[in-house]
Amino acid sequence: MYDYRQAIDRIMRQEVEAGQIAGAGYLLIQGGKERYFSVCGYGDREKKTPIERDTIFRLFSMTKPITAAAVMLLVERGELDLRDTVGSYLPAFGEQTVWNPQGEPVPVERATTIYDLLNMTSGIPYPENWEGCSPSGVLMDELFRELKQAQAGGQRLTTREWIDRIAAVPLAFQPGERWMYGLSADVLGAVVEVATGKRYGDFLREEIFEPLRMTDTGFCVPRDKRERFAQNYIWNGEKNGLEIYTDCNLGEYYGEDVSFESGGAGLVSTMEDYSHFARMLLQGGVYDGVRLLGEKTVRFMRQDRLSAGQKAALQWDSNLGCGYGCLMRVLTDQGAAGTIGSLGEYGWDGWTGNYMTIDPENDMIMLYFIQRCGYSSTSALRRLRNITYGALERLED
């Protein structure tokens, strides 16, 4: 007889045995209960350290939904207004420029807002240097090389110092013109610092991680937890296999003296910890009797916020059939996405393949955690999603 659990294990085992990943973890929560948890392979292949429930993973972009929650928490409290300009918190953003059709930086037509940042319509790019990318992306790449070199040399530039330098790079397009993945969430982390008068990591710990009992989540991995820290891997095409990734991609640095706390990519967490955050969103802002966000706030966070014109640029493979809002995708077209998932299902993933989906209709959360750079949209992941959805009527109490 067919068993969805065996099918899930088979997919993960095939990925590990084929050498595509070192290890993986899967967690399914539905109806307020944990339905299935499974691990396969190693958190550190070289040390033969198996993936466990408390393995600490680099979240990369799965940091972003947490940043969105932090911002909306301050919106609830009246400490931020979605129409506030970024420059009203970070003066370096008060004189922004944008490239005109002639390739010259000119003043923006309107100021970038908090709402632009939440929806990735700010025009602030990620560092890029490939044929056809925007001149803003090239300049940002040059800036990040400089900042990362300073960090590697022992300088500990703060979040504000990084973000103030980012503000000097001309925008790729006028604020609100279209969607583009970039450094918006990192800027939001600095906005939270100014609005609260606290370091971003301190605010997250006090207002989100401690209430949700996310004891292994933060911007550093303490020495006494290093044995649980999963190794990061990247594919070497010449060797046709995985190798350890040691470079710093976006300023990520997990030492106890970390100073740049990236709201877009800097956090580490465990599957257990992240499930607490996901449960809070699924349950309308409440986890284990503790209310973190209002129900209307969570409803706001899980809606598509892009216009048709803005959405035209949302064409990544992992975002096909989706809208976007509050730093997360929202499923709007099953056929385009190639999934049997429910409309309105939402979540995000990370550069190293970590993945979350939350489905209010089916009262369901699925987490899939791995550590391979640039492996966030795969056939294996789509198969796991469809296996999960196909099993919902078979789940037993």
Side-chain angles (χ1 to χ4, degrees):
M1 179 178 291
Y2 171 77
D3 187 331
Y4 77 93
R5 292 164 294 194
Q6 293 179 5
I8 288 167
D9 289 348
R10 171 175 50 82
I11 297 296
M12 292 198 297
R13 186 175 61 252
Q14 287 174 345
E15 285 282 276
V16 172
E17 291 177 350
Q20 295 295 325
I21 58 176
Y26 169 97
L27 176 60
L28 172 62
I29 297 166
Q30 192 274 332
K33 299 179 180 180
E34 182 175 312
R35 301 296 184 171
Y36 192 53
F37 173 75
S38 183
V39 294
C40 181
Y42 298 107
D44 190 318
R45 186 181 58 182
E46 288 67 34
K47 294 181 179 179
K48 304 299 182 185
T49 306
I51 294 277
E52 302 283 1
R53 195 180 193 93
D54 65 352
T55 297
I56 298 173
F57 293 84
R58 298 160 180 82
L59 288 181
F60 279 91
S61 287
M62 279 181 64
T63 302
K64 290 179 172 69
I66 293 175
T67 291
V71 169
M72 294 308 299
L73 186 63
L74 294 179
V75 169
E76 278 189 347
R77 296 175 179 179
E79 297 181 46
L80 289 178
D81 184 331
L82 294 176
R83 292 188 180 181
D84 283 342
T85 65
V86 179
S88 63
Y89 297 91
L90 305 170
F93 285 81
E95 302 292 335
Q96 283 188 286
T97 59
V98 61
W99 298 106
N100 68 10
Q102 290 73 45
E104 302 167 332
V106 298
V108 293
E109 295 174 357
R110 70 162 176 83
T112 306
T113 66
I114 304 299
Y115 191 67
D116 291 322
L117 297 176
L118 276 173
N119 298 324
M120 288 286 180
T121 57
S122 67
I124 303 171
Y126 264 137
E128 301 173 317
N129 194 354
W130 44 272
E131 185 177 353
C133 74
S134 71
S136 296
V138 174
L139 286 179
M140 196 69 77
D141 185 67
E142 293 175 359
L143 171 61
F144 264 62
R145 289 177 186 274
E146 177 186 336
L147 294 172
K148 290 189 294 184
Q149 185 175 7
Q151 180 172 272
Q155 295 186 44
R156 294 293 174 257
L157 302 175
T158 67
T159 301
R160 284 290 307 278
E161 288 173 324
W162 277 69
I163 300 307
D164 284 350
R165 295 290 301 277
I166 286 169
V169 176
L171 299 178
F173 50 81
Q174 292 288 351
E177 182 179 314
R178 61 184 173 88
W179 183 90
M180 183 185 70
Y181 206 50
L183 292 161
S184 292
D186 296 87
V187 178
L188 283 171
V191 168
V192 170
E193 287 196 340
V194 175
T196 64
K198 299 178 180 179
R199 285 192 64 183
Y200 188 46
D202 291 339
F203 177 80
L204 292 182
R205 186 187 70 255
E206 294 169 11
E207 301 290 349
I208 296 180
F209 302 152
E210 288 181 353
L212 297 182
R213 302 204 306 275
M214 298 170 68
T215 56
D216 289 319
T217 304
F219 287 108
C220 78
V221 182
R223 289 183 180 88
D224 61 351
K225 296 183 179 182
R226 285 273 164 172
E227 291 185 358
R228 293 195 278 128
F229 193 24
Q231 187 59 265
N232 198 12
Y233 296 93
I234 194 167
W235 188 260
N236 185 320
E238 294 182 359
K239 297 181 179 179
N240 196 36
L242 295 175
E243 64 181 18
I244 295 173
Y245 182 80
T246 59
D247 194 12
C248 170
N249 189 44
L250 290 169
E252 62 275 7
Y253 174 75
Y254 307 107
E256 292 174 308
D257 59 339
V258 62
S259 56
F260 170 44
E261 297 178 325
S262 166
L267 288 172
V268 299
S269 189
T270 64
M271 294 190 72
E272 177 65 30
D273 273 13
Y274 210 89
S275 75
H276 299 184
F277 175 73
R279 285 192 191 213
M280 180 275 295
L281 291 178
L282 179 63
Q283 294 162 179
V286 177
Y287 173 73
D288 198 22
V290 176
R291 178 165 291 283
L292 191 78
L293 293 169
E295 185 173 352
K296 291 186 182 299
T297 303
V298 175
R299 287 183 179 273
F300 177 92
M301 291 178 66
R302 58 184 176 89
Q303 295 182 41
D304 177 15
R305 295 291 167 187
L306 300 184
S307 68
Q310 292 169 332
K311 198 180 298 184
L314 190 67
Q315 293 298 317
W316 290 1
D317 182 69
S318 59
N319 289 333
L320 293 176
C322 294
Y324 192 87
C326 283
L327 306 178
M328 292 182 285
R329 68 175 184 279
V330 183
L331 182 63
T332 58
D333 185 329
Q334 295 167 303
T339 179
I340 58 176
S342 304
L343 296 179
E345 163 225 320
Y346 66 103
W348 200 238
D349 53 82
W351 183 55
T352 49
N354 300 324
Y355 179 89
M356 169 186 72
T357 193
I358 302 173
D359 184 342
E361 179 182 325
N362 290 288
D363 195 16
M364 184 269 283
I365 295 163
M366 174 190 146
L367 297 178
Y368 177 60
F369 275 33
I370 62 174
Q371 295 279 260
R372 172 181 162 180
C373 302
Y375 206 58
S376 59
S377 178
T378 65
S379 175
L381 174 59
R382 290 190 292 274
R383 290 168 189 265
L384 286 171
R385 282 175 45 82
N386 287 332
I387 290 169
T388 300
Y389 271 101
L392 290 180
E393 289 77 24
R394 299 180 175 91
L395 301 179
E396 299 178 356
D397 290 332

